[in-house]
Structures are given as C-alpha cells and as structure tokens.
C-alpha cells in the first residue's frame, strides 16, 4: 500500500512491499472488512430495470462462503480452474470470492466471446467448472461435448438442463468457510491476454497479483481511498483492466464499487451513471474516453462528482488528455501495464507527475526501464523495449501450458513487454507502439500513436488507426483508417485536408499517404483496435471504401 507523500521522490523512497506469507485475495478484498465492519457498503449493482441492489462486505462474505461450500461439495478442489463467463454483476463477484476461498483458479471470460473463443480458452485452461448465465449456457451447449475436463456448470439464471442453479447452491451451502491457506505465489487466477497480436495466452497469476496492483491504482487514483470515494469502470471484469485495475483493488481499499452491465459502451449512459451515483473514481480505457468526447459540454448537462479518472490499455494521447482537462475539468492519470505485469507505470497529477503524451513514471515497487536487445538499460532518448525487472509481485507466474513462451518473455531478469518506448530526461516513459505496430518507412521507425493522435485533432475524425502498408519503394507507407465524425461525408477534398493536417503538424514522413474511411474499426472485446487486421487488410486490399 502507498502512504501519501509530498513528492514522487518521497513516494518512491518511502515504499516497500509488505505482503504476508499467508495471502488470499478473498481475505483482503472482502473477509477482512466483513470481520471489522460487516455493514460497510461494498457493491451497488444497477439493474437493467433501473433499480439498485446493495451488498455489504458482510453479506458478500457470507454468500461467497456458502457458494464455496457448495462448490466444494460438488467436487471443485484447490488448483482447479473455474471459468467465470459472466458480466458485471453481484454473482460474478461472489464467484470470484468463492473460487479464491477454495484455493481454486478463476478464469474470467468475457460475455462477448463467441463459441470459438470460448472453446479455445476452456479447452486450453482445462476448466473443471463454468459459472455462467443463460446467454453463456446457450454457447456452452454447442461445445460442451468437446470439453473433456468440464464436469460442472452453474447457471446464474436458474437451473437448466445439465446446469445447477447458482441461487440454490448459495442457499444450501453452509455460511462459514475457512479460506484456503494460500501464499502469495499460489495460483489465484488466469487471465487470457486480449489477443491483439495473435492467439491469446493464459497468464497465470498468484494471489500476490492483487497486492502488486495496489500502489499503481492508488497512484493513478491519487491516494485512494479518500473519504467519499466510490469506484466505477465500464471495463468488463473479465479483463485485467476491470478486475485488477478497478473491482478488486477498490474493494481491498474499502471503496465501494458500482456495477452495471453495458451491452455496448454508450457514452451518454456512462455520463448518466457517473451522475446518478456521484462516482468519484473511474477507470475508463482510452477508447471509451475517446467515445465520450463525442458528448458535447458534458459538465453543463451532467452533475459530475469525479475526483480521479485512470486510463490504460492503449495510448491515451494528447488530444484526449486535453479534452478531459477542458471538458471534464480533471487530469486523466494514464497508467500502463499488460495482463502479464500490470500497473507498473503511472501518472499522478496530484504530485505533478503528469505529462500530455507520456504514460507516466515507474510506480513505487516496480523497476521499469527501456532496454536494448541485449538487455542493457538504454539512455534517455533512446528507443527500445519497455521492460520490468523480476522479481515483482505483480508479475505473472507463467503462461499456462506454454513454457517456451514464458522463457521467451525474458531477457535475463528483464521481462519484456513487446512494447517500444522512450524515457525522457525527466524520467517519463513514452509509449511508441507495440513491436508489431511500428511502421518502417523510408528508413524511419514510426509509432502509430502520434499520428493517430494528430488525426484525432481534426474535427472530421472520430476515431483513427494507423498501420504500415507494404511498399516497394519505402518498405512501408503510412495508411490511416478513419471513422468520420457523425454527419461528415468523406470525399477526396477531406482526404487531402486531413493529409495536410498531419503533414504540417507532425512531419512530411509521417503523414498518411493512404486514407480509408470506414464505419468502424476492428476491436478486441476489451475495446482495443486490432491493427493486425488492418495491416492484413492494407496489404491485401479489402476493407477500404475510399482511396
Ligand atoms: P496480446 O498480448 O494477446 O496481443 P494485449 O497485449 O492487447 O493482447 P493486454 O495484456 O490486455 O493484451 O494489453 C496490454 C498491452 O496494452 C500493452 O502491452 C500495451 O501494448 C497496451 N497498453 C497498455 N497500457 C497502455 C498505455 N498506457 N499506453 C499505450 N499502450 C498501452
Ligand atoms: Mg500483450
């Protein structure tokens, strides 16, 4: 945990990890509060009909113990993988807590996944049980026969053929459960990477992953908890972003969480939710913030109580940073990490650690550097790979069933991220791009982020993604895929205007020689642009509607 400090330097020098030898996520995120203050509010769930369901720590603790007992009676044992195919809901939180109490391994899966994505992850993880809702059951029915390890299905929407009823299990299980005596390194959860660059890999984490997140989250949310804090994220809890950047740390710090199931992110409804609950702290990934930019003058329409907004998962960019300062009246604290090792760089506006276009600085407790191919630490200004030194409590244990990939992740004690970055003279880390997204054009190595950011500053551009298109002369040329602002009808004149816009603001070698206007960009379930698909598209033709 972070203590408040007067400066970033004091924050770093005053920090040391204190993770007890017995550490279980369910204990720290719930049972500890339930013992001390059972009536304390923990979860406010906004139902589809507009009503609100309230859960205290005491009630969560008891219901999750009942569920743990029931799952144990059904044969779920320590170390087994239990998949949770559920949206933001009280049942999802109860399932997580029950799995941690059992010492089993939670495998969160996004509701948006189709049958193929589920088959891959359930088979790869060898899940013994799945807890899911009616929509999930329908998908499971298509693949259940192929999943040899799957023994138990629990339905949160009442009993169904081949599935036990969640509520019945909770009502039948005994009310107390002694959480498994796990240590920090014992497996707690397995989260599949977003699959932005290829087949997703299961990153296995120990219980310590929660402790490892706290300093970064406290920094980005400026010394969370402060009196009156209340947390919300639109990010799916099935993603490291929703689960470990929002839900679990907030609860661990005693901050109540608002939950709501967004079928599809809707900026108007997001603002309405922020207002209704007087949300003080929000984790909002860059894509969602970029969509919120479309709501004009939000502070005139919504009464916002926001104290902090953290953002991670993609580059935030200057445009969105500036927009939030102006239109939300606060500085977004960008932070950075990946499923394998998260929340390791962060901003903290309250301490003056905030720079438009930069991610931030190393979070206390993590050693982060930009390194060269031989693992040497590069000097400020030199571009290389962002890396984290082990041991680090937030670092994954290994990829599930992929020992080679785990080994390949390290150069000596440095865990590589596959992301290119630069440290500036003041110690800020700047994101250049994913290794695969870097564009090589006429001898220059160009990161897509800066160009995308520049494109966004043009009023006709709502969203933009930039990739390299193979070119016989220049190796690659910059190609931009642009979603125009509502009401804009793109034509050749606009295309030329946008090209000029980038040429004059950035440089002559970075402007997009080709532009395609599209209705939408391919996104992962976590809302990240899949540039790989755009790259394939640019190389082989297809998506573009205009040239
Ligand atoms: P896969 O590894 O399967 O291709 P993924 O890397 O998108 O998927 P995640 O672990 O969810 O899966 O995402 C981590 C990545 O997101 C980082 O490696 C980085 O590329 C990007 N990212 C996270 N935070 C930031 C940030 N603040 N700025 C820029 N990029 C970020
Ligand atoms: Mg990755």
């Amino acid at each position: 945990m972070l203590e408040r400090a007067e400066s970033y330097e004091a924050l770093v020098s005053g920090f040391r990890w204190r993770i007890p030898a017995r550490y279980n996520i369910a204990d720290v995120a719930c049972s500890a509060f339930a013992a001390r203050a059972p009536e304390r509010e923990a979860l406010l769930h906004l139902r589809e009909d507009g009503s609100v369901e309230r859960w205290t720590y005491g009630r969560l603790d008891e219901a999750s113990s009942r569920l743990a007992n029931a799952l144990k009676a059904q044969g779920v044992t320590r170390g087994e993988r239990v998949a949770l195919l559920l949206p933001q809901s009280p049942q999802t939180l109860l399932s997580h807590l029950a799995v941690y109490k059992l010492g089993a391994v939670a495998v969160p899966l996004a509701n948006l996944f189709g049958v193929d994505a589920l088959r891959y992850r359930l088979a790869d993880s060898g899940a013994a049980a799945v807890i899911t809702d009616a929509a999930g059951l329908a998908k499971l029915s298509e693949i259940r026969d192929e999943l040899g390890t799957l023994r138990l299905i629990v339905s949160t929407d009442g009993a169904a053929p081949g599935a036990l009823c969640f509520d019945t299990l909770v009502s039948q299980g005994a009310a107390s459960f002694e959480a498994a005596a796990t240590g920090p390194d014992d497996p707690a959860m397995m989260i599949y990477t977003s699959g932005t660059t290829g087949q997703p890999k299961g990153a296995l984490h120990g219980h310590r992953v929660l402790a490892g997140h706290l300093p970064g989250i406290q920094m980005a949310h400026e010394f969370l908890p402060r009196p009156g804090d209340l947390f919300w994220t639109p990010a799916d809890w099935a993603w490291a972003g929703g689960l470990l950047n929002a839900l679990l740390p907030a609860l661990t710090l005693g901050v109540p969480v608002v939950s709501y199931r967004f079928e599809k992110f809707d900026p108007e409804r997001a603002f309405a939710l922020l207002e209704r609950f007087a949300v003080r702290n929000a984790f909002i990934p860059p894509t969602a913030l970029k969509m919120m930019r479309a709501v004009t003058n939000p502070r005139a329409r919504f009464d916002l109580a926001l104290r902090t907004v953290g953002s991670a998962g993609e580059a935030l960019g200057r445009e969105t940073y500036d927009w939030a300062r102006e239109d939300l009246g606060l500085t977004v604290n960008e932070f950075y990490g990946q499923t394998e090792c998260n929340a390791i760089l962060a901003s903290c506006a309250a301490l003056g650690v905030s720079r438009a276009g930069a991610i931030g600085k190393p979070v206390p407790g993590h050693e982060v550097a930009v390194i060269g191919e031989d693992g040497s630490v590069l000097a400020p200004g030199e571009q290389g790979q962002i890396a984290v030194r082990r041991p680090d409590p937030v670092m994954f244990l290994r990829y599930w069933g992929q020992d080679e990939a785990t080994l390949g992740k390290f150069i000596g004690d440095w865990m590589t991220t596959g992301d290119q970055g630069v440290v500036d003279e003041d110690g800020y880390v700047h994101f250049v791009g994913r290794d695969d997204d870097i564009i090589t054009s006429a001898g220059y190595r160009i990161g897509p982020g800066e160009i995308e950011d520049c494109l966004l500053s043009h009023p006709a551009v709502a969203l933009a993604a930039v990739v390299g298109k193979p070119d016989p002369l220049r190796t690659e040329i910059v190609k931009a895929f642009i979603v125009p602002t509502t009401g804009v009808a793109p034509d050749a004149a606009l295309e030329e205007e946008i090209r000029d816009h980038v040429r004059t603001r950035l440089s002559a070698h970075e402007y997009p020689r080709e532009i395609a206007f599209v209705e939408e960009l391919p996104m992962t379930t976590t809302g990240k642009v899949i540039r790989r698909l755009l790259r394939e598209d640019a190389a082989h033709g297809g998506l573009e509607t205009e040239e």
Side-chain angles (χ1 to χ4, degrees), residues 26 51 74 123 173 208 258 274 347 367 451 495:
S51 63
Q74 291 297 325
R208 59 172 156 77
V258 174
L274 289 171
S347 305
E367 197 176 338
I451 308 175
E495 207 179 303

Side-chain angles (χ1 to χ4, degrees), residues 47 81 141 174 228 459:
R47 295 201 191 98
R81 275 77 59 216
S141 68

Side-chain angles (χ1 to χ4, degrees), residues 193-197 239 313-315 334-335 337-339 419 434 528:
T193 56
S194 298
T196 312
T197 51
W239 175 44
E314 285 197 297
E334 181 167 357
F335 61 104
Q338 54 184 203
T339 306
D419 292 319
R434 292 166 181 267
K528 298 183 192 206

